[in-house]
């Protein structure tokens, strides 16, 4: 599927056993802030500070590091649950299909990262029903493409091809000022992600 954008082979995130995310391949790491529109709906991603990267860097997974986004070893003493909860099923198996007049939408609810880009103009699930209207169609594409988790994917009705944003292989450190919270990590551009048990997750253009 075209939405499985392929990053260079070296770009990889490995979930280490009871430890941090081990990121290899000099993957750029940058703050990405959820920024609202006038109506206070999530609207834009605003890039911020970039962090130094290298052939291998370790990113905090337990949430306790004092050197975030990097690991400072706090996971060794912290009380946290290191169990991976993400589904291993391919996206197409997880996603429900919703056919609109001008676009098709796939929705894998379990992947939601609660960034709320799908909320403007009555939510994407209402918009998809109006995608014979060019404005509603454009907004539907925008909302799906801004979804960091890749929960939402729109595709062309004729070709069936996903309409994906061009994202460079990179990791976004998500900041959500409206909810006063940080995270998740946003893996962009088809970076390979490997479980602590050595098995790969499906490669996707957007994952959180
Ligand atoms: S992650 Fe995607 S589906 Fe979930 S709230 Fe954000 S935009 Fe909506």
């Amino acid at each position: 599927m075209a939405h499985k954008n392929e990053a260079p082979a070296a770009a990889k995130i490995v979930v280490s056993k009871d430890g941090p995310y081990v990121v290899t391949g000099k993957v750029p790491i940058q703050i990405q802030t959820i920024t609202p529109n006038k109506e206070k709906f999530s609207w834009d991603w605003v890039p911020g500070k970039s962090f130094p990267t290298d052939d291998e860097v370790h990113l905090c997974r337990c949430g306790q590091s004092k050197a975030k986004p990097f690991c400072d070893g706090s996971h060794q003493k912290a009380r946290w649950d290191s169990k991976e909860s993400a589904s291993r099923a391919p996206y197409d198996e997880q996603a429900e299909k919703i056919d609109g007049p001008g676009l098709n939408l796939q929705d894998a609810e379990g992947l939601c990262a609660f960034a709320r880009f799908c909320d403007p103009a009555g939510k994407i699930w209402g918009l998809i029903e109006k995608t014979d209207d060019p404005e509603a169609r454009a907004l539907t594409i925008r909302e799906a493409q801004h979804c960091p988790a890749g929960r939402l994917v729109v595709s062309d009705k004729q070709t069936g091809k996903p309409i994906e944003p061009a994202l460079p292989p990179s990791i976004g450190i998500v900041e959500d000022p409206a909810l006063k919270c940080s995270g998740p990590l946003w893996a962009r551009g088809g970076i390979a992600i490997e479980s602590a048990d050595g098995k790969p997750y499906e490669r996707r253009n957007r994952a959180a």
Side-chain angles (χ1 to χ4, degrees):
M1 296 288 289
H3 65 272
K4 292 173 203 163
N5 189 357
E6 297 282 306
K12 189 171 183 181
I13 301 171
V14 175
V15 183
S16 66
K17 185 162 166 27
D18 301 325
Y21 296 107
V22 177
V23 181
T24 50
K26 293 198 168 73
V27 180
I29 302 165
Q30 187 173 27
I31 299 263
Q32 296 285 345
T33 299
I34 299 171
T35 308
N37 63 8
K38 283 204 297 291
E39 288 82 35
K40 300 204 163 97
F41 289 118
S42 296
W43 190 249
D44 265 323
W45 286 107
V46 175
K49 180 181 172 180
S50 290
F51 296 91
T53 190
D54 213 331
D55 292 333
E56 180 173 319
V57 292
H58 294 185
L59 297 183
C60 177
R61 185 157 76 98
C62 71
Q64 309 287 322
S65 172
K66 305 252 180 320
K68 285 196 205 85
F70 299 105
C71 169
D72 68 354
S74 292
H75 59 275
Q76 290 159 5
K77 294 195 198 115
R79 287 181 56 164
W80 64 296
D81 184 1
S82 64
K83 195 161 158 268
E84 289 169 61
S85 54
S87 168
R88 307 295 178 98
Y91 177 76
D92 286 345
E93 273 176 28
Q94 292 185 57
E96 180 195 343
K97 291 193 183 69
I98 305 158
D99 288 359
L103 289 169
N104 290 339
L105 175 68
Q106 282 175 284
D107 176 11
E109 194 178 353
L111 300 179
C112 189
F114 308 102
R116 313 173 305 284
F117 285 97
C118 49
D119 283 349
K123 299 188 187 283
I124 197 167
W125 300 272
L127 280 171
I128 189 70
E129 307 295 348
K130 303 178 200 154
T131 45
D132 44 355
D133 171 68
E135 208 178 312
R137 187 177 192 278
L139 195 49
T140 303
I141 293 172
R142 179 195 171 90
E143 293 190 11
Q145 291 195 337
H146 278 65
C147 171
R151 166 184 169 177
L152 303 168
V153 173
V154 283
S155 52
D156 184 273
K157 274 196 95 68
Q158 267 73 49
T159 64
K161 264 182 81 173
I163 305 172
E164 278 293 296
L167 294 171
S170 53
I171 293 174
I173 309 293
V174 174
E175 292 292 343
D176 189 348
L179 295 190
K180 296 190 176 60
C181 66
S182 302
L185 299 182
W186 181 18
R188 307 162 12 132
I191 298 174
I193 304 177
E194 187 179 296
S195 162
D197 65 15
K199 294 206 180 89
Y201 286 94
E202 181 181 33
R203 265 201 198 210
R204 303 197 62 223
N205 191 30
R206 298 172 281 139

